Every structure is written in structure tokens, then in C-alpha cells.
Amino acid sequence: MYRFLLSRQWVILTLIALLLIPTMIELGFWQMHRYEERTARNDLVAEALHADPVPVERLTSPGKKITTDERYRSVTATGRFDTADEVVVRRRTNADDEVGYHVLTPFVLDDGKVLLVNRGWIAADGPSQTEFPKIPAPPSGEVTVTGRMMPDETTEASGIKDLEGLPDRQIMLINSAQQAERLDAQVLGGYVVLTAPKPEDGTPELIGEPGDEDAALNFAYAIQWWLFSAAVPVGWWFLVRREARDRATDAGDAGDAEDTDDTSEAEPAAV
């Protein structure tokens, strides 16, 4: 009854089903691993965002690389903004996906070291983006700022190409080593996304807190893959049963037709 399983078509179909089952199970475990990674990152970010602010030099120093645990940590610093060496970061978007600039202003600490402060987003003055935009000045004199610690941007991590030949005072990536060379000063590793004080007129537009990664989606995908893996043998058995039933029906019909032919041949000729 099930000899058809040895046919070339059914052998191939069975092998494909046997291959799909472990593949889907493995994909489910991979999605579950992604779920655990994203959940851990969300917890780490939430912990960093809600931690009490610490002096910036407790987390960074000239040439230091900001670690994952230090990212988004709230820090404070006291000094003055140096708008003469202010630059803008090209091709940055705001919450409404409008393209403009991030404003990067050196912040000179009391000991002379420089902290890079991203003061927020500002719209481009025109479509060419070749002229330096008009930027409201930050508070003058000595001021205490608060912000979120961020690692240096690189092409590898961000996917943004570090283009050359840009208009004056425009950059593509926020990188403390590059800015230390430009400013000829001791620049603390990483940079800070400003959270306070807020600009009086709302410009530059402060950068919002990072949102949670959608870890629940990966959990749902994991369950989905495992359900698919369970459905494969069920579907295979359903196809086998249907094939067997169809073959049995065809065999029965053929037998009935043969009996009919035999009966017709056995009937005497009419007188």
C-alpha cells in the first residue's frame, strides 16, 4: 500500500521534510538567542538611563574607548562651550525623519580638557547643505551640563562613510580622535548627547532617549519556527495518507471496471 514511498518523487519529498525539521528548530533557537540578547540590551540601556549622573571624567579620559556598559550613562561636566570650533554632523534625522545636522560643540572643562557635546538636531538651511547653518548659541560663561555618554562613531559600527572634501566645519562622524587632531587638544573619548540645560527656544532639538528593541518579535518568531517544524511531519503524513487513499480508490475503480468487462464477456449472445 505504501510502496509509492520508494518512488523518486516521494524519496525527495521525504528528504526535504527531514531537512526542514532540524533547520526550523535551529532557526527557532537562533531567534530565541536574539530575543535574549535584545532583552539584555534593553535592560542594560534602561539601567544606564536611570542611573544617577556621575562626573564625566569618572567614565572617560583622552583616548579612552567607551564600553557597552558605559553607553547611555548619565554624566555631568562643568566648563564653557567653545562655539568658535563648533561643527555640524551631516545627514542626521530628527524624530520626524527630516534630514538635517547634529550640532557638535566642544565643551572646555576647568582643567583644559575638551568634551564633545552633541547639542541636538537642527534643520538644514537649504537643499545644497554646503553653507554652515545658523545655530542658536549655547549658554555663555561657565555652565554645568548633563548628558548621555556615547562611544565614538565609526564607519564599521554606523555604516556611515567618512567622506572627505566636505564643506568647512562639516563632518560625517563624531570621533574624539579626529576632533583631538583638529582641535590640537586633549579630547575625552566618546561624546555626550546633551539632556540639560535645554535650549530656550527649542533649537537645537534635543535628541530623545533610545527606544527599546522589539525583543518580543524575536520571541514570536522562535515560537513560529518551532510550530513550523512540528507542522512538517504532520503535513508529510497527511500527504502520505491522501496519496495512499487516492491510489486505493484508483485501484478499486480499476477492479470494478475489470469485473464489468469480465461480466460483459461472460453474458450469452441474445437469440
Side-chain angles (χ1 to χ4, degrees), residues 170-185:
Q170 295 191 22
I171 61 175
M172 295 299 299
L173 297 169
I174 304 177
N175 187 283
S176 61
Q178 292 178 354
Q179 293 304 306
E181 183 177 353
R182 181 180 73 89
L183 298 171
D184 191 22

Side-chain angles (χ1 to χ4, degrees), residues 65-101:
K65 182 179 179 180
I66 303 302
T67 66
T68 302
D69 292 340
E70 294 165 341
R71 187 179 187 181
Y72 299 123
R73 283 291 306 273
S74 184
V75 296
T76 60
T78 300
R80 58 178 179 81
F81 284 106
D82 176 16
T83 55
D85 288 316
E86 190 170 63
V87 295
V88 292
V89 191
R90 292 170 59 91
R91 300 180 185 175
R92 300 303 167 106
T93 57
N94 64 358
D96 297 323
D97 288 332
E98 298 173 316
V99 179
Y101 305 99

Side-chain angles (χ1 to χ4, degrees), residues 41-54 59 66-75 146-151 191-193 195 207-213:
R41 277 200 293 268
N42 288 341
D43 293 342
L44 189 64
V45 170
E47 182 180 351
L49 290 175
H50 294 93
D52 293 333
V54 298
L59 295 184
I66 303 302
T67 66
T68 302
D69 292 340
E70 294 165 341
R71 187 179 187 181
Y72 299 123
R73 283 291 306 273
S74 184
V75 296
T146 304
R148 297 187 297 271
M149 196 78 234
M150 297 294 292
Y191 67 98
V192 166
V193 174
T195 57
I207 301 171
E209 292 184 356
D212 286 344
E213 296 187 34

Side-chain angles (χ1 to χ4, degrees), residues 19 21-22 35 56 64 71 73 75 113 117 126-127 140 146 159 190 193 217 261 271:
L19 180 63
I21 293 172
Y35 162 74
V56 66
K64 183 181 182 299
R71 187 179 187 181
R73 283 291 306 273
V75 296
K113 294 186 180 69
V117 176
S140 60
T146 304
V193 174
L217 189 61
D261 291 342
V271 178

